[in-house]
Amino acid sequence: MSVLLMLAALLVVLSIAAWPSIEEYGLKFLVTTDWRPNELNVPMKGADGRVLIEDGEVVMETIPPSFGALPVIYGTAVSSLLALLIAVPLSFGAALFLVRLCPRRLVGSISFLVEFLAAIPSIAYGMWGLFVLGPAMRNYIEPGLRAALSWIPGVNAWLFENTARRGSTVITSEVPLTGSDMFTGGVVLAIMILPIITAISRDVLRSVPRAQIEGTLALGATWWQSSWEMLRYSRSALFGAVMLGLARASGETMAITMVIGNNNQINPSLFAPAQTMSSLLANEFAEASTEIHRAALCEVALILLVMSLLFNVVARWLVVGKGSRTAAAF
C-alpha cells in the first residue's frame, strides 16, 4: 500500500512540475523534433519572404525556446528494440541450456554467474562500454560491418550515409564511425538485460510439466521440436520476461549516457549518435535554468515513468497472472 502511495505521489509531483510544458505544447510535445532551451535571434522576414532592413540594418526577432520529445522517444524505442533483438535469442538459448542440457553440478554455478551479471552497477557497464567496447566498435566492428554489408542494395544509404538537401542540391556524406552511437548503446543495453531475461526464462521453463516434455518426445519429436514446444507452452510468461527486459532497457540511464553519443536528432542510421529520454535527463536537468526548460524535462520524465509502469504491469500480468492461468488450462 505504501508503495502505491509513493508511486501516486511521484506521478502527482511530476505532473505538477511538468504542467507549464503540458499547457504550452500539449500533444505537440510528443511529435515535434525541436529541442532548443535558449532564445534565438534571427533576421525577421517580411510577407514576401525577404529579410527586413530598416535604416540600413537587418531587423532581428527573438524566437522563444521550443521543446519536442520525439527525438528522445525515437532514441529510447530504437535502442531498446535493438537490445531486445540481440538479447532475447541469446537469453532463451541460455535458459534452454540451463534447463535441458547443462550438467546438474554446473547449473548452480552458471546460474549464480548469470544472476551476478544482473547485480553489476550500470556505471560499470557504462565505463566498460566507453573504454573497451566503444574503441573496439570504432576500430574493428563497425568498419567490418560496413565492409560486409554495404554491397547490399539500400543498406549503404540506410546505415552508412547521411543525406541533406540544400536548395535543389542533395548532399551525401559518410556517417563517421565513432563508436559512440545507437548501435553501441543497443549492444550495452543487450548485455545488461540478458541476465534478467535469462534468469526469468530459466524459472519459467523449469515450471513446464515433465509430462508435457515427455509427451512430445513420445510422439516422435526431436530435441529441437520438444524445446520449441516448451517455448510455445510458456510463451505468455516468456513474453513477460521480455517486457521486463524492455522496461530495464528503456529506463537505463548512466550506461547509455556514456556510449550513445547524446545527439538530439532522428537519424535512420544505427551508427549515428542519438539520445534517449534518460540520457537527456542526466545531461540537462542539473543545468536547466528556466521554468519551461525544467518543465519540459519533467514531462520527459513523466513519459518515461508511465511507459516503464506500463511495461512492468503488462510483464507481471503475463508472468504471474496470465502465465499461471495458461499453464492451468493446459
Side-chain angles (χ1 to χ4, degrees):
M1 188 63 182
S2 58
V3 175
L4 290 177
L5 288 175
M6 290 176 61
L7 183 60
L10 182 58
L11 284 170
V12 171
V13 168
L14 280 178
S15 299
I16 293 173
W19 185 249
S21 174
I22 297 172
E23 194 175 36
E24 177 72 22
Y25 302 110
L27 292 177
K28 192 175 68 174
F29 186 79
L30 301 175
V31 296
T32 53
T33 59
D34 199 14
W35 187 273
R36 185 165 36 78
N38 300 315
E39 293 179 342
L40 189 64
N41 290 321
V42 298
M44 181 181 288
K45 293 184 178 179
D48 57 355
R50 295 182 177 181
V51 175
L52 295 179
I53 299 177
E54 291 181 1
D55 299 331
E57 295 185 357
V58 176
V59 179
M60 304 296 289
E61 64 175 339
T62 301
I63 299 178
S66 178
F67 298 96
L70 187 58
V72 290
I73 294 174
Y74 170 82
T76 303
V78 173
S79 61
S80 301
L81 291 176
L82 180 61
L84 289 184
L85 283 175
I86 299 171
V88 168
L90 295 176
S91 299
F92 286 179
L96 278 173
F97 171 77
L98 288 171
V99 172
R100 302 203 62 183
L101 289 178
C102 185
R104 188 178 297 273
R105 65 179 183 281
L106 297 178
V107 170
S109 303
I110 296 177
S111 298
F112 170 77
L113 289 175
V114 170
E115 291 164 3
F116 179 74
L117 286 174
I120 294 177
S122 61
I123 187 71
Y125 282 109
M127 294 187 71
W128 175 79
L130 183 64
F131 294 116
V132 179
L133 183 62
M137 286 283 187
R138 180 179 62 244
N139 297 326
Y140 304 107
I141 299 175
E142 292 179 356
L145 288 174
R146 180 164 58 185
L149 300 176
S150 58
W151 64 272
I152 302 174
V155 170
N156 193 54
W158 169 35
L159 293 178
F160 302 108
E161 287 184 355
N162 281 325
T163 302
R165 182 177 293 277
R166 184 170 296 171
S168 59
T169 306
V170 177
I171 302 173
T172 302
S173 60
E174 282 193 353
V175 174
L177 303 179
T178 62
S180 295
D181 47 43
M182 183 80 82
F183 184 69
T184 305
V187 172
V188 170
L189 288 179
I191 294 170
M192 295 182 69
I193 65 175
L194 193 145
I196 298 173
I197 302 177
T198 301
I200 299 174
S201 302
R202 177 201 59 198
D203 294 340
V204 168
L205 293 178
R206 274 180 180 167
S207 67
V208 175
R210 190 168 184 80
Q212 179 76 16
I213 305 171
E214 293 176 347
T216 57
L217 294 174
L219 291 173
T222 63
W223 186 89
W224 286 107
Q225 290 170 330
S226 174
S227 298
W228 176 250
E229 287 303 318
M230 286 181 70
L231 295 174
R232 284 192 59 196
Y233 180 84
S234 41
R235 58 187 179 275
S236 295
L238 291 175
F239 186 70
V242 173
M243 293 295 286
L244 282 175
L246 178 61
R248 171 71 191 274
S250 61
E252 176 50 42
T253 303
M254 288 311 300
I256 196 72
T257 302
M258 298 174 78
V259 298
I260 201 169
N262 302 312
N263 193 332
N264 213 26
Q265 64 173 349
I266 296 179
N267 192 319
S269 173
L270 296 178
F271 301 106
Q275 181 101 284
T276 66
M277 288 189 273
S278 52
S279 66
L280 176 70
L281 293 171
N283 284 319
E284 293 195 8
F285 205 90
E287 300 176 355
S289 57
T290 61
E291 182 186 6
I292 191 65
H293 191 188
R294 284 193 294 272
L297 290 171
C298 288
E299 189 171 356
V300 171
L302 183 62
I303 295 169
L304 183 60
L305 176 62
V306 171
M307 195 171 68
S308 299
L309 282 176
L310 185 64
F311 289 152
N312 278 283
V313 168
V314 172
R316 183 164 180 79
W317 178 66
L318 290 171
V319 174
V320 180
K322 188 180 178 182
S324 61
R325 287 195 294 274
T326 303
F330 277 85

